[in-house]
Amino acid sequence: MNKLSQITMLIDPPNQTQTRWQYLIPSLSCRAFAPESQMGPLLGLARAIRGPVRVTYFQTFRSYQLDGCNQDVQAIARSLAKDASNVVVMTGAGVSTPSGIPDFRTPGSGIYDNLKQYRLPYPEAIFDISYFRQSPDAFNTWAKEFFPGLRYQPNLAHFFIKLLHDKGKLVRLYTQNIDGLEVLTGLPHEQVVHAHGSFTGASCVACGRVADLEDYKANILLNQNPRCSCSEKAPIKPDIVFFGENLPERFQMFQEDTAFSDFLICMGTSLEVYPFAGIADAVPRKVPRLLINRTLVGSFGSREEDCILLGDLVEQVIQLCRALGWEQDLFDLKNAYDKKNKLGNKELP
Ligand code: OAD
């Protein structure tokens, strides 16, 4: 079935209530923005162009308020310490900016504002499967810079999640990140769902043949565009989820995890990309949801139990750990990691 493979919701600033929708139409290499009132006609247009449209995780949020939210770090810590034993954590690129990896959408520093040299039809094309099949160069250049395990190290935000695990509170981490920094902290693989995939494998986009990961990595680091030896000589792509591709099956665990959760922590994401963003709304309404982020995102602020720590993630995490009496534990984890790994930036060839 033809379908619009990725639908992204953008929410206007907190004092406005109108919801805008962004439609990515990869086969047409374009995207469209529309207020909610025009959604019907736009979907009609998309159907006319591409056939049946399947919309999953369709949701609208009418209003949210910061004022009514719990922003008291002591009270949040008490609730986390006392009432939470099944914590679901969801993260995005913001947790890795303190490690030196830019996020996607922060104006100025975000990746999407810094892709001019690639002459992409629209910024997200760098992660668009149709575009990659024709022009893998932009993605491969990005992959050379951010190939996991070469330059970047986990920061205190990542160690906070490991600490939640060590304290027996973490049910699962759902991350959109493909940098692999959360597992470098020692968090067991079964505790992590890489919702947008990872660099742990690579395969041909045409015939699906699995590529040798070391060869793939070596080619990327040598600025070559790895291609399969099949008849199409198609590009090889790591196992990360591009726009237009399905999420891994493990992602579906969020339904059960959220149903039985008693606390949700959302950190460093704009919550603009679905279906991942839907995790925040899948927890029952009585479950406290804590957002730690520079800006208010998603539907946070719309529920009575919402808690919000706005500002720099690492600073907020330190404050929260201090209020929990976990600050020393947090630094001990990071210091032990640094010592074990004798840290220093590795140079690329
Ligand atoms: P975004 O760049 O959309 O959002 C990052 C969020 O983190 C923003 O709200 C920032 O304000 C916040 N942030 C960044 N640094 C921070 C800091 N030091 N302290 C506090 N907050 C901070 O990144 P994602 O939400 O992860 O998909 O983007 C989602 C998906 O869009 C990605 O997985 C990627 C992208 O297209 C694919 O590639 C398929």
Side-chain angles (χ1 to χ4, degrees), residues 127-328:
F127 298 112
D128 182 319
I129 189 63
S130 315
Y131 186 79
F132 178 81
R133 283 179 211 277
Q134 294 154 20
S135 315
D137 309 48
F139 172 79
N140 288 345
T141 309
W142 176 88
K144 177 181 176 182
E145 172 64 23
F146 298 108
F147 212 101
L150 293 175
R151 288 177 188 264
Y152 302 100
Q153 303 297 338
N155 63 65
L156 288 172
H158 297 106
F159 285 103
F160 171 58
I161 304 166
K162 172 68 164 54
L163 196 53
L164 284 168
H165 167 70
D166 292 352
K167 301 280 182 190
K169 288 185 178 289
L170 182 73
V171 171
R172 202 100 52 203
L173 163 66
Y174 289 83
T175 182
Q176 295 165 100
N177 298 345
I178 50 182
D179 52 38
L181 295 185
E182 49 291 295
V183 287
L184 289 185
T185 65
L187 199 59
H189 284 273
E190 63 271 18
Q191 297 289 111
V192 185
V193 172
H194 290 103
H196 291 171
S198 68
F199 275 87
T200 50
S203 57
C204 170
V205 293
C207 72
R209 188 182 301 164
V210 174
D212 181 281
L213 193 60
E214 286 308 312
D215 284 352
Y216 169 76
K217 182 174 166 183
N219 279 324
I220 288 287
L221 297 183
L222 289 167
N223 295 323
Q224 287 165 3
N225 287 332
R227 287 192 179 270
C228 187
S229 54
C230 67
S231 57
E232 288 193 41
K233 301 273 179 287
I236 294 173
K237 182 184 84 62
D239 295 344
I240 68 173
V241 178
F242 276 37
F243 289 109
E245 293 191 303
N246 290 330
L247 273 61
E249 243 171 63
R250 285 187 87 231
F251 177 72
Q252 292 308 327
M253 290 198 297
F254 87 88
Q255 306 204 27
E256 198 174 323
D257 286 347
T258 51
F260 294 102
S261 65
D262 50 25
F263 208 97
L264 176 122
I265 303 178
C266 176
M267 304 199 286
T269 171
S270 58
L271 287 183
E272 284 188 12
V273 174
Y274 279 70
F276 184 88
I279 297 175
D281 300 296
V283 294
R285 290 195 77 81
K286 63 178 185 339
V287 169
R289 307 185 304 172
L290 167 62
L291 172 71
I292 312 178
N293 208 44
R294 207 166 258 147
T295 51
L296 189 58
V297 294
S299 63
F300 278 90
S302 67
R303 293 186 183 188
E304 241 176 67
E305 300 298 331
D306 283 351
C307 317
I308 295 179
L309 295 175
L310 281 192
D312 178 73
L313 238 152
V314 166
E315 280 172 24
Q316 297 301 326
V317 159
I318 293 173
Q319 281 199 37
L320 180 60
C321 284
R322 190 171 299 151
L324 283 159
W326 295 0
E327 192 182 6
Q328 190 59 51

Side-chain angles (χ1 to χ4, degrees), residues 104-144:
F104 295 92
R105 295 179 180 80
T106 292
S109 63
I111 288 166
Y112 291 152
D113 257 5
N114 291 285
L115 294 170
K116 290 190 182 73
Q117 73 267 33
Y118 299 117
R119 297 169 185 273
L120 298 166
Y122 56 96
E124 287 91 341
I126 191 171
F127 298 112
D128 182 319
I129 189 63
S130 315
Y131 186 79
F132 178 81
R133 283 179 211 277
Q134 294 154 20
S135 315
D137 309 48
F139 172 79
N140 288 345
T141 309
W142 176 88
K144 177 181 176 182

